[in-house]
Amino acid sequence: MSRIRSVATSALGVSRRTVLAAAGAVSLSAGVGYALRPTDSEAATNPAGTGEAPVAHSRQATGAAPSAPYTKGTTLASVAAPRGSSGYRRLGDGPGWSRVVRGELAAAKSGRAGRRTTLAAFVQLTDLHLQDVQHPLRAEFLRANAVHAWRPQEALTVQGAISLVERVNALKGAPVTGAPLGFVMTTGDNTDNNAHSELEWFMQVMSGGRISPNTGDPKHYEGVQNSGLKLYWQPDATTRDNDKALGFPHLNGFLAAAIREVQSPGLHLPWYSTVGNHDFLALGCFGTHADPYLAEAAIGGKKLMDVSAAEARKLQDAVKNAKDPHGVAYRDLLKAHARSMRPVTADEKRAPYTPADYLKAHLDPAYQGHGPVGHGYSTANLDAGTQYYAFRISADVIGISLDTTDACGMPNGSIGTAQLKWLDKTLKDNKDSYAVVFSHHTSTTMDNTWPDPARPGERRHTGAEVVQLLTSHTNVLAWVNGHVHENVITPHQASGGHSFWEISTASHVDSPHLARIVELADNKDGTVSVFTTLIESAAPHRTDFADLSQTGLAALYRELAYNAPGASKALAGNAADRNAELVLKKG
């Protein structure tokens, strides 16, 4: 949420018999997922999608599946909870969140646990917002008007994301069915400010490697947190800034630790990627790729850190009213303050990346990790300029990843007519398979219909139109997304009775820092259950201010986020939006 696009052909109409033959008749219970992508020639020369797409194997999770059900390592067992009642609150171990059975779309029938068979199991990560906090084109200064516009935890996004990867790697299977986890899907806003530095960190977090979460001066942090401005938490200084007045600690050495090299083990599962608005737009808001002033400022040596409350309010209103998709007001504000900007070390790694750059990073063998090649994308996407695709999750389930970012600008999204038609055809061509749809935006945040500059004559379609299309098909089980940074689960049902669940998951930048395990099971009684189980990162709930190690910083990341001034305490959602069994009728 605010603060590029597979030409996969619709040739995914692969029968169960074909899949099992290609996979050597290996069942899902053995932990194999099937990734379907068109060959380059099929995608490039046949966008309408005829013929069958090839089948590729995904690696299975390591370790034997546990005896289901289990709770360890999930929010069913424990959730970070605050201690004390006021001021800066330390976190500790809190009680878990129970599972809620939801029957709005179908009644849950007794005895289903003994009958059910697993269709698929996977993990969703969303809104990691990996941040280059020293980047010149940030807007921390908006805090002058709205305290929540800058977060004290932002320098630790990389450490926090690595800890989340460690948690996923520690899971031994799906907590309800015990099935091996097939893959991980990110649902957008993987980066925060469309910077090459952030994209590189994201690829390394997911696929493994050593990461230096630092740009500019290789030895020193240069940004708002050592600016001396009381508007921001100055962790290394004794200055009584606004956040320390609320109880935030003085942590000598924090900034040096925050930019120190860290190690990611990479996911031990195959992973797929979906794009969000922050992965394409400056600040997640502005379509500025054609603006030479902003492109140069991104890699330059000047950073604006302080403006008046009135100026900050004016820029925030321009975003709120969605009337300035190209960021004219933002550019004008920077120009007006050219003389008051602070010097920072210039760095070309901060340059904005294009949709083609995003695709090339995913296709780079250096970031293949446990696969699949391209993480859902293929070179066909480069040829067609698209970032949506479909893949086979299991013998009975396909996955569909949408690109809901409006390339013109503004935080909310929509999709073009070509993508909507492709979605419809893909579902029709795979009518004998269940489908799970993935996107960044939710149905209620797809209301931004500015024309795509690359396709100016193409109509844009809203979330309501996508819901209407999905409920016209009998095989859609779930639409999994993010963007709103909040746990929300919504039932959708058409007048004809076709239904699906929309599952929106909280972010890993704003408290409470979560990801979600999703399991699909056939209850063998005319219903299907979709189980959702939230997980936190592997970092301990309790923090130690003297521990500035990689793990200590990941724990501190969670605690700082909880205490961030102005942060919502409602993003965990209601009990029914967290750990749930979502029942719906088959067909």
Side-chain angles (χ1 to χ4, degrees), residues 28-29 68-70 99-102 107-120 174-179 519-532 580-584 586:
L28 177 64
S29 62
Y70 77 96
R99 192 178 305 283
V100 176
V101 179
R102 295 186 59 173
K109 300 178 181 180
S110 61
R112 64 193 182 282
R115 294 188 300 268
R116 69 171 57 110
T117 58
T118 306
L119 298 170
V176 177
T177 63
E519 303 171 66
L520 312 176
D522 185 341
N523 293 321
K524 301 298 182 181
D525 58 9
T527 68
V528 171
S529 286
V530 180
F531 295 96
T532 75
E581 178 184 359
L582 312 172
V583 187
L584 69 165
K586 294 170 67 174

Side-chain angles (χ1 to χ4, degrees), residues 474-544:
T474 62
N475 55 338
V476 179
L477 299 180
W479 179 5
V480 180
N481 50 45
H483 188 62
V484 293
H485 294 204
E486 181 177 2
N487 292 316
V488 183
I489 298 178
T490 306
H492 291 283
Q493 187 168 25
S495 56
H498 303 158
S499 60
F500 70 90
W501 290 94
E502 182 176 358
I503 302 166
S504 307
T505 302
S507 74
H508 207 252
V509 65
D510 289 313
S511 182
H513 286 188
L514 298 168
R516 200 186 290 265
I517 304 168
V518 178
E519 303 171 66
L520 312 176
D522 185 341
N523 293 321
K524 301 298 182 181
D525 58 9
T527 68
V528 171
S529 286
V530 180
F531 295 96
T532 75
T533 306
L534 293 166
I535 55 174
E536 300 175 292
S537 77
H541 292 156
R542 293 179 182 271
T543 60
D544 179 352

Side-chain angles (χ1 to χ4, degrees), residues 372-406:
V373 173
H375 304 291
Y377 304 112
S378 75
T379 53
N381 298 112
L382 286 169
D383 296 337
T386 61
Q387 284 186 303
Y388 50 87
Y389 61 91
F391 64 105
R392 185 155 288 280
I393 292 174
S394 70
D396 298 305
V397 186
I398 64 164
I400 300 173
S401 174
L402 301 178
D403 172 15
T404 57
T405 295
D406 190 314

Side-chain angles (χ1 to χ4, degrees), residues 56-67:
H57 296 243
S58 297
R59 296 188 184 182
Q60 64 181 7
T62 57
S67 298

Side-chain angles (χ1 to χ4, degrees), residues 182-532:
F183 65 96
V184 175
M185 171 63 85
T186 73
T187 52
D189 283 3
N190 308 303
T191 64
D192 189 69
N193 198 20
N194 183 235
H196 269 282
S197 52
E198 297 171 343
L199 179 58
E200 179 181 345
W201 300 343
F202 167 66
M203 300 304 297
Q204 291 173 316
V205 166
M206 299 293 284
S207 294
R210 302 197 70 84
I211 307 164
S212 294
N214 180 38
T215 56
D217 189 320
K219 295 183 179 180
H220 301 97
Y221 168 95
E222 299 173 318
V224 297
Q225 288 192 270
N226 66 351
S227 64
L229 295 169
K230 294 184 178 182
L231 182 63
Y232 311 104
W233 178 44
Q234 308 291 299
D236 285 65
T238 57
T239 304
R240 187 166 175 77
D241 54 65
N242 295 351
D243 293 75
K244 288 204 189 79
L246 299 174
F248 273 70
H250 168 220
L251 298 178
N252 191 41
F254 173 87
L255 294 175
I259 63 174
R260 189 170 55 216
E261 185 180 75
V262 291
Q263 174 77 42
S264 173
L267 287 164
H268 295 170
L269 292 168
W271 63 272
Y272 293 83
S273 181
T274 299
V275 295
N277 51 295
H278 281 262
D279 301 315
F280 182 74
L281 306 172
L283 304 178
C285 300
F286 305 127
T288 60
H289 283 269
D291 190 317
Y293 173 83
L294 292 176
E296 187 65 28
I299 62 175
K302 297 289 185 178
K303 181 177 174 68
L304 181 59
M305 301 186 189
D306 190 21
V307 301
S308 69
E311 289 172 308
R313 186 180 308 110
K314 182 178 179 180
L315 182 57
Q316 285 180 309
D317 286 344
V319 175
K320 181 180 179 180
N321 297 329
K323 299 298 184 183
D324 186 20
H326 300 307
V328 174
Y330 178 54
R331 182 190 61 210
D332 290 348
L333 179 63
L334 295 179
K335 287 184 173 181
H337 284 271
R339 293 187 177 182
S340 60
M341 290 184 180
R342 306 262 185 126
V344 295
T345 303
D347 195 332
E348 291 188 355
K349 292 195 297 290
R350 296 170 176 153
Y353 61 83
T354 66
D357 294 329
Y358 186 85
L359 293 170
K360 289 175 183 177
H362 284 73
L363 291 161
D364 189 336
Y367 302 132
Q368 183 169 330
H370 283 262
V373 173
H375 304 291
Y377 304 112
S378 75
T379 53
N381 298 112
L382 286 169
D383 296 337
T386 61
Q387 284 186 303
Y388 50 87
Y389 61 91
F391 64 105
R392 185 155 288 280
I393 292 174
S394 70
D396 298 305
V397 186
I398 64 164
I400 300 173
S401 174
L402 301 178
D403 172 15
T404 57
T405 295
D406 190 314
C408 186
M410 296 287 97
N412 283 359
S414 57
I415 63 174
T417 297
Q419 187 176 180
L420 189 72
K421 289 181 176 180
W422 170 86
L423 173 60
D424 187 34
K425 181 170 174 52
T426 301
L427 290 170
K428 287 177 179 176
D429 288 351
N430 291 274
K431 62 182 184 298
D432 294 329
S433 292
Y434 293 113
V436 178
V437 178
F438 301 93
S439 73
H440 179 63
H441 293 90
T442 66
S443 62
T444 58
T445 57
M446 289 178 62
D447 56 2
N448 173 20
T449 56
W450 285 95
D452 184 342
R455 301 168 179 83
E458 183 184 45
R459 184 187 162 204
R460 304 292 295 182
H461 299 269
T462 66
E465 292 174 274
V466 175
V467 169
Q468 184 178 22
L469 187 151
L470 296 180
T471 53
S472 73
H473 293 271
T474 62
N475 55 338
V476 179
L477 299 180
W479 179 5
V480 180
N481 50 45
H483 188 62
V484 293
H485 294 204
E486 181 177 2
N487 292 316
V488 183
I489 298 178
T490 306
H492 291 283
Q493 187 168 25
S495 56
H498 303 158
S499 60
F500 70 90
W501 290 94
E502 182 176 358
I503 302 166
S504 307
T505 302
S507 74
H508 207 252
V509 65
D510 289 313
S511 182
H513 286 188
L514 298 168
R516 200 186 290 265
I517 304 168
V518 178
E519 303 171 66
L520 312 176
D522 185 341
N523 293 321
K524 301 298 182 181
D525 58 9
T527 68
V528 171
S529 286
V530 180
F531 295 96
T532 75

